[in-house]
Amino acid sequence: MAMLEVNNLKTHFRTQDGVVKAVDGVSFSLEAGETLGIVGESGSGKSVTALSIMQLNPKPPAEYPEGEIIFDGQDLLKTSDKRMQAIRGNDIAMIFQDPMTSLNPVFTVGNQIREAIRIHQNLSKSEAQEKTVQVLRDVGIANPERRAKEYPHQFSGGMRQRAMIAMGLSCNPKVLIADEPTTALDVTIQAQILELMVDLQEKYGTAIIMITHDLGVVSQLADKVMVMYAGRAVEQATTDEVFYDPLMPYSWSLLRSLPRLDTAGEVRLLPIEGTPPSLIFLPKGCNFSPRCPFVKDECHEIDPALEEKKPGHAAACILSVEEIEKNKHRVDEELGVET
Ligand SMILES: Nc1ncnc2c1ncn2[C@@H]1O[C@H](COP(=O)(O)OP(=O)(O)OP(=O)(O)O)[C@@H](O)[C@H]1O
Ligand code: SF4
Ligand SMILES: [Mg+2]
């Protein structure tokens, strides 16, 4: 049975300007020990998806008109606040994009981690203190005994991020959601943190949702990938499938807009022109049509559903696999990419 199952999740925000369809029909499931990577441009709904699982979108304006999030046999969209509080941090932990939102400025960092450990793990104060120092050391904070006594504002941005990661990891959650966990960190620490997450996963069978702009991180860590565009999943498959044979023009464009990891020489990059659509007024037809390099007339009329193009590989595009492959090949030739 899946550890976490998200079915047709819709998270909308009712605002003065209209209803923001931040997440509009997203589905995925996650087994114990599995890692799902969520990628997509800024504003595509990645964090809102994560915050929906945690039930941390402010209500109002957030509404969940449809869908379910099944964890441990219960629908988190229908779970009481009290029960949700017990699940958060204990069964499902999240490392937030902005560390300041989850560290309380009036308590020392050590105090906060220790309390999180104590609440969830039934340890004595001194055992929890020992573990606090240990997790701070694990995430690469020098002098953890002293640092534990400091307040969040005394930490640099990168250190706050690490403290928060320490807090997320300290409770051995069943599901760990990491939202851009390492962006503020330098490369060495980033590698250490990712390694730590993998260790935790191997030891405890943690299911991980990794949200990041860093496709390198995704290709290294994730078993499968969900590409989001304008609040929807536009491609879902194993990591290898998405990286080596993307079947949605947006995912393909995303990969072509970044330096390739596998080519040593100069390869021309193909930036994605334009910006994502407003989530209140979506374009007619395919949401990606105003920017799609493979667009054809029908794309302005038909809104393609996410459908299986190959076994286990779903994409939202009206083109056939053959047409997509042909288009990719054509543009690659123009760019001088060897395929
Ligand atoms: N509380 C809110 N009220 C209204 N709109 C919101 C709220 N929270 C998020 N949104 C909107 O939902 C959309 C998706 O936001 P989200 O934070 O999920 O993007 P993201 O994919 O995480 O982007 P980034 O890569 O920049 O972190 C955005 O248009 C955002 O403005
Ligand atoms: S449906 Fe058309 S516009 Fe949308 S991704 Fe496919 S080719 Fe591009
Ligand atoms: Mg985000």
Side-chain angles (χ1 to χ4, degrees):
M1 206 184 72
M3 183 111 213
L4 180 73
E5 199 175 310
V6 174
N7 295 318
N8 191 32
L9 173 69
K10 295 195 178 181
T11 310
H12 296 175
F13 296 101
R14 196 169 285 277
T15 70
Q16 276 188 338
D17 304 321
V19 177
V20 178
K21 295 179 179 168
V23 176
D24 206 30
V26 163
S27 303
F28 59 86
S29 72
L30 205 57
E31 309 280 337
E34 200 175 30
T35 300
L36 166 74
I38 304 184
V39 299
E41 267 164 306
S42 189
S44 56
K46 305 181 300 293
S47 295
V48 172
T49 301
L51 292 169
S52 303
I53 297 169
M54 297 295 280
Q55 283 293 287
L56 284 177
N57 285 304
K59 266 199 283 187
E63 292 175 356
Y64 300 93
E66 272 183 67
E68 51 181 23
I69 300 174
I70 307 293
F71 173 76
D72 219 1
Q74 57 194 324
D75 184 354
L76 299 184
L77 295 181
K78 299 197 177 92
T79 300
S80 71
D81 290 350
K82 192 157 172 244
R83 176 86 190 97
M84 212 46 233
Q85 254 168 32
I87 290 174
R88 273 195 297 266
N90 191 13
D91 294 319
I92 309 181
M94 178 160 169
I95 299 169
F96 291 85
Q97 196 166 5
D98 172 9
M100 259 337 231
T101 54
S102 55
L103 288 173
N104 190 327
V106 303
F107 295 108
T108 65
V109 171
N111 188 325
Q112 294 180 60
I113 297 176
R114 196 179 61 225
E115 282 316 296
I117 292 175
R118 245 155 72 84
I119 291 167
H120 298 300
Q121 291 186 33
N122 226 342
L123 296 179
S124 73
K125 201 169 170 183
S126 64
E127 285 168 331
Q129 178 61 26
E130 222 168 274
K131 177 135 196 212
T132 300
V133 171
Q134 181 58 44
V135 290
L136 284 173
R137 188 175 288 121
D138 283 346
V139 295
I141 289 185
N143 228 327
E145 288 88 356
R146 181 170 62 78
R147 286 296 188 173
K149 297 191 189 105
E150 292 184 352
Y151 290 87
H153 74 265
Q154 292 170 284
F155 276 41
S156 69
M159 279 171 61
R160 279 200 288 268
Q161 190 103 10
R162 275 182 269 170
M164 208 179 41
I165 292 167
M167 196 142 65
L169 298 181
S170 65
C171 305
N172 308 334
K174 293 194 178 120
V175 178
L176 177 68
I177 306 174
D179 191 356
E180 302 281 2
T182 56
T183 28
L185 307 176
D186 62 51
V187 181
T188 327
I189 299 293
Q190 177 175 339
Q192 273 173 30
I193 302 280
L194 295 177
E195 209 170 297
L196 201 68
M197 288 172 64
V198 172
D199 283 352
L200 175 92
Q201 182 167 46
E202 279 169 4
K203 209 153 138 198
Y204 301 104
T206 318
I208 297 179
I209 299 178
M210 172 65 75
I211 298 173
T212 176
H213 284 101
D214 191 335
L215 295 181
V217 167
V218 173
S219 73
Q220 256 176 36
L221 291 191
D223 300 297
K224 54 189 189 183
V225 174
M226 172 164 91
V227 181
M228 289 190 75
Y229 188 75
R232 298 207 195 150
V234 292
E235 181 151 8
Q236 278 175 288
T238 63
T239 305
D240 281 354
E241 290 270 336
V242 172
F243 274 78
Y244 294 109
D245 191 20
L247 292 178
M248 160 68 194
Y250 172 66
S251 328
W252 179 85
S253 302
L254 204 61
L255 289 162
R256 279 294 176 276
S257 69
L258 297 167
R260 292 261 294 263
L261 308 165
D262 57 341
T263 39
E266 280 281 299
V267 169
R268 267 172 61 212
L269 303 179
L270 186 68
I272 311 180
E273 305 286 342
T275 50
S278 146
L279 298 174
I280 300 176
F281 306 105
L282 290 164
K284 197 162 166 248
C286 174
N287 287 338
F288 190 49
S289 57
R291 311 170 72 191
C292 181
F294 307 164
V295 66
K296 57 182 193 179
D297 288 349
E298 296 94 299
C299 302
H300 300 295
E301 301 298 327
I302 305 167
D303 183 6
L306 185 70
E307 57 169 31
E308 208 166 61
K309 298 265 181 201
K310 288 181 178 176
H313 191 157
C317 177
I318 62 167
L319 301 187
S320 67
V321 172
E322 292 70 35
E323 284 175 295
I324 292 168
E325 299 296 355
K326 219 186 276 173
N327 271 300
K328 291 194 313 198
H329 195 69
R330 172 179 58 81
V331 180
D332 273 348
E333 270 190 352
E334 286 165 20
L335 288 174
V337 176
E338 280 176 38
T339 48

